[in-house]
Amino acid sequence: VNEARNGERSWIGASRISGELQSNKPCAVIVLYGANDLINGDGYDTVLDSLRAMIVAARANQTVPVLATLTPMTGPAFLWSGSVIELNAMIRLLAAEQLVALADLEQAFGPLPELYLTDDGLHPNEFGNDLIAETIAGVFLGPAEPD
């Protein structure tokens, strides 16, 4: 079930996650937030507090939370790339602190992230969406075998 909202910031996601979890009753939830926060000038603490709140809500609903790092930003979105790298380091620490699985999308996109992004340098293209799905599946199934 995809309950993502275009342009949503993490604090809004944190305010509605309990209702979504109760309505949908998923066994797991992928938590991928922060890009819109950075673009709108929200601080790292806002994002991290929101992610923590979503982890708590998931656990209260007996849902397995999985954190995801942000995809890299390139092209017109490059302005925020340094902030994304910093926030991703914090998300990795939060996942370790909270003993939560991590889908490391930044690492998956590798040294040429523009191959997986649309011209805006922020949103994934078809190949990027496939890579995100494979990375998240790897959290549950283990890494894919090379061809």
Side-chain angles (χ1 to χ4, degrees):
V1 175
N2 182 354
E3 293 296 341
R5 301 284 190 271
N6 189 22
E8 187 169 86
R9 289 149 72 179
S10 64
W11 58 272
I12 298 171
S15 73
R16 64 183 190 85
I17 193 170
S18 290
E20 298 295 349
L21 292 169
Q22 290 171 8
S23 294
N24 294 299
K25 301 185 184 351
C27 63
V29 62
I30 311 305
V31 179
L32 172 54
Y33 276 95
N36 294 315
D37 298 80
L38 296 176
I39 290 168
N40 286 289
D42 294 336
Y44 300 129
D45 288 342
T46 298
V47 178
L48 296 172
D49 290 346
S50 298
L51 296 178
R52 244 185 228 99
M54 289 185 238
I55 291 167
V56 168
R59 287 179 169 154
N61 194 65
Q62 298 182 347
T63 300
V64 175
V66 176
L67 286 178
T69 59
L70 304 179
T71 59
M73 292 193 192
T74 64
F78 187 75
L79 172 67
W80 295 284
S81 64
S83 296
V84 166
I85 291 167
E86 288 182 38
L87 181 56
N88 281 341
M90 294 175 204
I91 291 170
R92 288 182 190 98
L93 290 173
L94 179 62
E97 166 198 306
Q98 295 292 314
L99 303 175
V100 171
L102 178 72
D104 199 334
L105 302 180
E106 179 183 46
Q107 182 180 5
F109 273 57
L112 296 173
E114 59 274 5
L115 297 177
Y116 302 103
L117 299 170
T118 61
D119 290 341
D120 70 2
L122 168 63
H123 296 96
N125 60 25
E126 179 183 348
F127 302 110
N129 283 325
D130 288 346
L131 183 56
I132 290 169
E134 290 169 13
T135 304
I136 291 169
V139 169
F140 296 100
L141 305 173
E145 294 294 322
D147 291 336

